[in-house]
Amino acid sequence: MKRMNRRGSVADIRKLIDMIRSYHEHPTLRTTFIVGFPQESETEFSDLIQFVQDIKWDRMGAFTYSPEENTPAFSFSGAIVPQVKEARLAQLMKLQEQISLTKQQEMVGKVIEVLVEGQDGLSGIYRGRSQSSAPDEVDGLVFFRSSRFIPLGSFVQVVVKEALPHDLKGEEVVSARV
């Protein structure tokens, strides 16, 4: 982390996450990692894998390092070959997909609030996002069925029926109207 000019330590991050989780029952924790930074060792990458396994991020992205002019790392020695960077990225993302699916499966049967962002023609299938999802295709979506027309921008209650690694599927909860 020092070579990447990052402040703090893994211990500091763990302490912060523990504090957040002690104050909030279900916070959404997200992060992004770079793999294949110059001189990244197998041990350092293994430490990253263990860290992700321990924290179990709700949302995680990752990408491979690429040198950019006018940055300190541009001239660093010890470049990681592209095949190794891609293999590390694939391993990390496969782990996160498993973690994500497990977390998503915990949502099955729960009712969540969804911001409606689109509709699939006249099929009665809508898509939106929950409070734990970032906009602009950063995170997965909630797809749900409704028997009524719902204006975009509305908030609805959805019971989750199925979990995928990044998306949820469900049905709108329609309350009795008086």
Side-chain angles (χ1 to χ4, degrees):
M1 286 176 48
K2 286 181 183 177
R3 285 188 314 234
M4 296 175 78
N5 200 23
R6 300 291 194 259
R7 292 177 290 282
S9 66
V10 171
D12 293 335
I13 295 168
R14 286 178 187 272
K15 184 177 177 182
L16 177 61
I17 290 169
D18 288 344
M19 182 185 71
I20 292 168
R21 286 181 170 156
S22 74
Y23 284 104
H24 303 283
E25 190 174 344
H26 297 290
T28 300
L29 298 176
R30 66 178 63 244
T31 193
T32 303
F33 292 107
I34 299 172
V35 297
F37 194 77
Q39 301 174 20
E40 178 185 78
S41 68
E42 283 293 334
T43 300
E44 288 168 325
F45 179 69
S46 293
D47 289 347
L48 173 60
I49 291 292
Q50 187 62 56
F51 181 64
V52 170
Q53 286 175 328
D54 292 347
I55 299 300
K56 294 184 178 31
W57 300 94
D58 297 283
R59 308 277 194 255
M60 187 202 84
F63 57 93
T64 58
Y65 168 81
S66 59
E68 292 191 27
E69 289 188 57
N70 301 319
T71 64
F74 185 76
S75 60
F76 283 4
S77 63
I80 307 298
V81 297
Q83 298 88 336
V84 171
K85 290 193 289 190
E86 291 300 327
R88 288 177 180 176
L89 178 63
Q91 182 182 350
L92 181 61
M93 294 310 295
K94 181 178 179 182
L95 170 62
Q96 180 57 33
E97 186 170 278
Q98 293 166 346
I99 292 168
S100 180
L101 179 58
T102 299
K103 286 182 165 280
Q104 295 278 84
Q105 288 170 334
E106 293 171 0
M107 299 301 296
V108 173
K110 294 185 179 176
V111 175
I112 59 174
E113 186 172 52
V114 175
L115 171 63
V116 180
E117 295 184 318
Q119 181 183 15
D120 222 8
L122 298 175
S123 67
I125 303 293
Y126 290 84
R127 67 183 174 282
R129 57 188 161 94
S130 69
Q131 69 179 10
S132 65
S133 297
D136 299 326
E137 300 179 17
V138 171
D139 292 330
L141 296 170
V142 179
F143 296 92
F144 64 95
R145 182 173 301 283
S146 178
S147 59
R148 66 182 182 102
F149 171 76
I150 305 172
L152 302 185
S154 299
F155 286 92
V156 297
Q157 299 296 308
V158 172
V159 62
V160 178
K161 300 284 189 174
E162 183 182 351
L164 303 170
H166 306 290
D167 299 322
L168 296 171
K169 294 183 178 183
E171 294 179 15
E172 180 190 18
V173 176
V174 181
S175 58
R177 298 172 200 246
V178 179

